[in-house]
Amino acid sequence: MGFSGSIPINTLQSMNDTFQVADRASRVDLLKRLGVDGDVAEDATSFVSPPAIAIRPIRNHSRQSFGIMTLPCNGQDQSFLYLLGKDGHSQWHVVDSAWLDCFGTIPTFSLLSFVPGDDDV
């Protein structure tokens, strides 16, 4: 691993890039600071490799910034999808979440671009 310590909560791209090379303790810590349940954070980093966990921006026309974070199947056959939010008064944090049943297979998450841009859903 190439990073150890507290991953800064700054841009989504920077967090994602650092997350991919961070040690397990650093990844768990970031997930918990963003608002992911501690047990889910522990499980997600135990059962999947970092590239399967993604933190991505979402372009929108709101004044509030949003991002998406995906945690693939864990030991409980659940995957998780998190909506991250940030405004002028707070740093990135989970604003909504959903868990999805894996049904014994590995789900895939993809961000699609409906209009030109690097960070469209």
Side-chain angles (χ1 to χ4, degrees):
M1 293 291 145
F3 182 89
S4 181
S6 182
I7 299 172
I9 296 180
N10 47 31
T11 68
L12 294 175
Q13 186 63 52
S14 175
M15 285 190 291
N16 186 68
D17 291 348
T18 305
F19 190 92
Q20 303 309 315
V21 298
D23 61 24
R24 182 171 181 265
S26 299
R27 294 191 313 256
V28 169
D29 175 64
L30 176 63
L31 295 177
K32 289 162 73 173
R33 286 186 295 124
L34 288 172
V36 174
D37 176 78
D39 291 335
V40 171
E42 293 282 346
D43 285 348
T45 56
S46 296
F47 288 93
V48 298
S49 61
I53 297 172
I55 304 169
R56 299 281 187 246
I58 298 174
R59 183 183 302 181
N60 66 72
H61 298 288
S62 166
R63 289 183 186 212
Q64 184 175 0
S65 298
F66 290 102
I68 193 166
M69 180 171 57
T70 57
L71 304 181
C73 286
N74 61 19
Q76 304 296 320
D77 269 344
Q78 296 172 330
S79 63
F80 295 86
L81 183 62
Y82 292 93
L83 178 65
L84 302 175
K86 175 187 179 194
D87 58 29
H89 306 290
S90 63
Q91 59 185 348
W92 289 107
H93 61 281
V94 171
V95 294
D96 202 1
S97 64
W99 67 268
L100 309 165
D101 197 327
C102 296
F103 297 108
T105 63
I106 299 172
T108 58
F109 300 98
S110 296
L111 296 181
L112 305 173
S113 180
F114 294 114
V115 294
D118 292 332
D119 57 0
D120 295 325
V121 172

